Amino acid sequence: IGAFAYLTAILSVPTLAQERSAVKQGFTLAPNSKKKILVFRPSVRVGAQSTGGLFEPNAEWTERAKINIQTALDKLQLKLGNEVMVAPEAYGDDVRNVEEHMALFAAVSRSVIEYQFFKGNRLPTKKRDNKADVFDWSLGDGISSLPGAKDADYGLFIYNKDAFGSAGRKLLQMVAILGPGIAVKSGEHVGYAGLVDLKTGELLWLNADAAMGGDVRENDGSEKRVRQLLEDFPGSSLGMAQAQ
C-alpha cells in the first residue's frame, strides 16, 4: 500500500508551466472580418503504447476517434468567428499532397514545442536581442497547391495522436519510479492545431501540446480535445474557460 501511495504522490506533482500557443507578430484576425478559413480533415492516429514504448496502431480506436473528432469539430467550427469552408475531397496526387503537408505541419509543430515553447532549448533565431520572442515558422509556399486553397485565405490544420499505455507499460512506469530514478512515461496524447496563410505558407497561429486531455474514443472526450485544440483561436468565441 505504501508503494502505491508513494507512486500516486509522485504522479500528482504538477509539472512546470510551459508555453503551448503562439501568434505570429503583427497577425490579427478579427471576428466577422470576412476572411475564409479552409478546414482540412484532421489527421487522427490512436493506438496503444507497448511495454517498450512503441506505438501500436488500433484501427477500431482510430476510426472511432476520427468520427468523434470530426463531429466535435463540425459542432465547434461555427464559433471560429469567420467564414469556415470544408476542404474538398482529395483524389489522386492531391491525396498525397495533403498527407505530405499534414505530416510537415506535425513536424513543424514538434519543432515549435521543442525549440520555442520549451524555453531551455529556444533557438537564437527565435529570440530578438535575447528578449522579445520571435514566432517565425512556415510550411512553404507549396501550401497554395492544396485542394481548395485558392478559394480561401487561411487553412486550419489539426493533428492528433493518442497512445494509451498498456498494462505492461504502466507497470514499467511504476517500477521505474520506485527504482533508481529512471524516467518512464506511460501514454502519449499529442494535439496540434495551426492556422496557415494559404498564399505564403506562414504559420500564423499554433496551439501545440504533448499532454492533451480527453479520451478521443469517447464523444465527450473528443469534444474536450477539440475545444483544447481550438482554445484562443484568433477571432473565435472559444475561450479558455470552455476548454477546461
Side-chain angles (χ1 to χ4, degrees):
I1 297 175
F4 277 101
Y6 175 71
L7 175 62
T8 301
I10 292 293
L11 293 178
S12 63
V13 175
T15 57
L16 294 176
Q18 177 181 318
E19 294 179 14
R20 66 171 188 157
S21 64
V23 179
K24 185 176 178 63
Q25 286 77 6
F27 172 71
T28 59
L29 180 59
N32 304 313
S33 64
K34 307 301 182 182
K35 295 294 185 180
K36 296 181 179 179
I37 302 170
L38 185 67
V39 180
F40 293 96
R41 185 176 297 277
S43 174
V44 179
R45 300 175 66 200
V46 185
Q49 186 182 44
S50 70
T51 302
L54 298 177
F55 178 72
E56 299 176 339
N58 184 302
E60 181 183 348
W61 290 353
T62 296
E63 189 59 32
R64 191 188 312 166
K66 283 182 177 179
I67 294 173
N68 291 343
I69 288 177
Q70 188 63 54
T71 299
L73 181 59
D74 290 344
K75 177 180 178 181
L76 297 176
Q77 66 188 19
L78 296 178
K79 298 183 179 181
L80 292 184
N82 280 282
E83 183 178 349
V84 172
M85 304 168 56
V86 177
E89 194 72 31
Y91 300 96
D93 290 342
D94 283 340
V95 174
R96 184 173 64 254
N97 195 12
V98 172
E99 290 176 348
E100 289 176 349
H101 277 87
M102 187 63 74
L104 176 60
F105 167 69
V108 170
S109 299
R110 285 191 292 270
S111 294
V112 172
I113 290 178
E114 181 70 18
Y115 299 116
Q116 180 142 16
F117 288 174
F118 183 63
K119 293 187 176 182
N121 291 345
R122 182 164 293 176
L123 298 174
T125 54
K126 304 308 173 187
K127 295 183 286 187
R128 183 178 291 114
D129 300 326
N130 285 326
K131 296 179 181 179
D133 297 344
V134 177
F135 189 74
D136 186 16
W137 301 83
S138 176
L139 272 61
D141 57 13
I143 200 90
S144 61
S145 66
L146 292 179
K150 62 182 179 60
D151 299 317
D153 300 289
Y154 309 121
L156 175 59
F157 287 79
I158 292 177
Y159 174 91
N160 187 89
K161 179 183 177 183
D162 286 271
F164 292 89
S166 63
R169 184 68 178 180
K170 293 176 181 176
L171 179 60
L172 179 62
Q173 182 190 39
M174 183 179 70
V175 171
I177 291 176
L178 298 177
I182 302 174
V184 173
K185 181 181 178 182
S186 178
E188 180 185 30
H189 305 282
V190 176
Y192 313 137
L195 189 68
V196 180
D197 188 313
L198 290 175
K199 304 297 185 293
T200 66
E202 290 181 310
L203 187 57
L204 304 172
W205 167 85
L206 179 69
N207 188 352
D209 197 342
M212 299 293 294
D215 186 339
V216 295
R217 298 170 298 183
E218 306 294 336
N219 289 327
D220 290 347
S222 291
E223 183 165 329
K224 178 179 180 180
R225 176 68 57 85
V226 174
R227 283 187 179 277
Q228 288 179 332
L229 285 167
L230 298 180
E231 181 182 331
D232 295 329
F233 185 88
S236 80
S237 58
L238 289 168
M240 184 178 298
Q242 293 176 294
Q244 302 302 318

